[in-house]
Amino acid sequence: MKIILQDQNQFVVKNSISHWFTGFIFLVIGLSIIFKPSFLNINTGIPLWLGLFIVMVGIIPVLFNTRYLIIFNKDENKLKINQKNLVKQKNDTYELSDIKSIELWTISGQNGGSKNNGLQYKLACILENNQYVILNPDTQSSFKISIGLAAWNIIPEKKIGEKIAAFLNIPFVENRRPPTVNETLNVLYDGVRDAVGKHVNQKKLE
């Protein structure tokens, strides 16, 4: 994630295109193997199926890697999330006044009992109805710096989350676990129940 604009009225973040770039490199290599192996200075005896396989590996991220443009706009009281790839585009809109906090979720990918293996960090807007909007569903850009025996885990999402929370003047909470499936379903059930109750009450008044 990267901040591309921050002023008094707007806070704009976009995600990385590293997967798209990696896919493009694979695509070029695969096509070179198929049509012009001399371009890569490689043996022409490489089988055609290998080139086709590399093309398939590369074309998937090129087509489906989604770019997220996230705009917090105080003038419009809107959070706008634009999701776009070469296949489709989707736009979601939320009211800024409905966001009660920004949370950094720590998701552990523990394997074989090894602690802190494959940690992922997701940044989420928590709404007043306890539903949530994940701002980086497909990306997470933490990395580790080691000097001798000392090591630091750098989490860009944390800094961005703190700045978003300060921009909206709402709390920032870190090291939270993401909600379980049951908790998510309960929140959705409560939202549907409240909507149905309001609809029934409105019909009674009419």
Side-chain angles (χ1 to χ4, degrees):
M1 300 182 73
K2 181 181 179 181
I3 300 170
I4 60 174
L5 175 64
Q6 182 180 2
D7 58 28
Q8 291 183 341
N9 298 313
Q10 287 194 95
F11 194 105
V12 182
V13 181
K14 70 174 182 179
N15 71 346
S16 166
I17 61 170
S18 58
H19 296 305
W20 184 93
F21 184 74
T22 302
F24 180 76
I25 295 297
F26 272 92
L27 192 58
V28 170
I29 293 173
L31 291 174
S32 298
I33 291 175
I34 296 171
F35 297 107
K36 199 172 181 63
S38 60
F39 174 74
L40 297 176
N41 194 26
I42 58 179
N43 190 338
T44 56
I46 291 180
L48 179 64
W49 65 263
L50 180 59
L52 292 173
F53 175 76
I54 295 175
V55 167
M56 292 302 298
V57 170
I59 202 170
I60 291 173
V62 168
L63 290 178
F64 297 103
N65 183 69
T66 302
R67 184 208 68 172
Y68 288 82
L69 185 65
I70 303 163
I71 304 172
F72 296 85
N73 191 313
K74 285 184 176 179
D75 288 337
E76 300 177 0
N77 189 37
K78 299 291 184 183
L79 163 59
K80 299 178 180 179
I81 301 178
N82 173 264
Q83 305 174 42
K84 184 178 182 180
N85 57 36
L86 294 180
V87 177
K88 64 178 181 179
Q89 180 171 336
K90 180 182 177 183
N91 294 287
D92 295 313
T93 304
Y94 305 89
E95 300 289 326
L96 289 187
S97 54
D98 288 339
I99 303 173
K100 66 178 182 179
S101 65
I102 304 295
E103 292 189 357
L104 180 67
W105 295 345
T106 304
I107 304 172
S108 176
Q110 292 186 3
N111 185 12
S114 176
K115 295 182 178 179
N116 299 326
N117 181 24
L119 289 179
Q120 295 186 16
Y121 301 92
K122 298 299 181 183
L123 203 58
C125 294
I126 309 302
L127 307 181
E128 290 291 347
N129 60 6
N130 289 323
Q131 295 187 29
Y132 55 86
V133 180
I134 299 178
L135 301 179
N136 60 331
D138 300 329
T139 62
Q140 60 94 21
S141 52
S142 64
F143 55 93
K144 184 174 288 187
I145 295 178
S146 300
I147 302 177
L149 298 177
W152 296 267
N153 198 29
I154 309 301
I155 309 171
E157 290 85 358
K158 178 181 177 181
K159 291 294 183 184
I160 293 174
E162 290 173 339
K163 290 182 178 180
I164 293 173
F167 175 77
L168 299 176
N169 195 27
I170 57 177
F172 174 73
V173 182
E174 60 178 307
N175 297 326
R176 286 284 302 273
R177 65 165 176 80
T180 63
V181 173
N182 285 337
E183 289 171 343
T184 301
L185 291 176
N186 286 336
V187 169
L188 293 175
Y189 172 77
D190 289 341
V192 171
R193 184 181 59 185
D194 291 343
V196 170
K198 290 178 180 178
H199 179 73
V200 171
N201 291 335
Q202 186 176 4
K203 287 294 184 182
K204 288 180 179 179
L205 292 174
E206 293 175 355

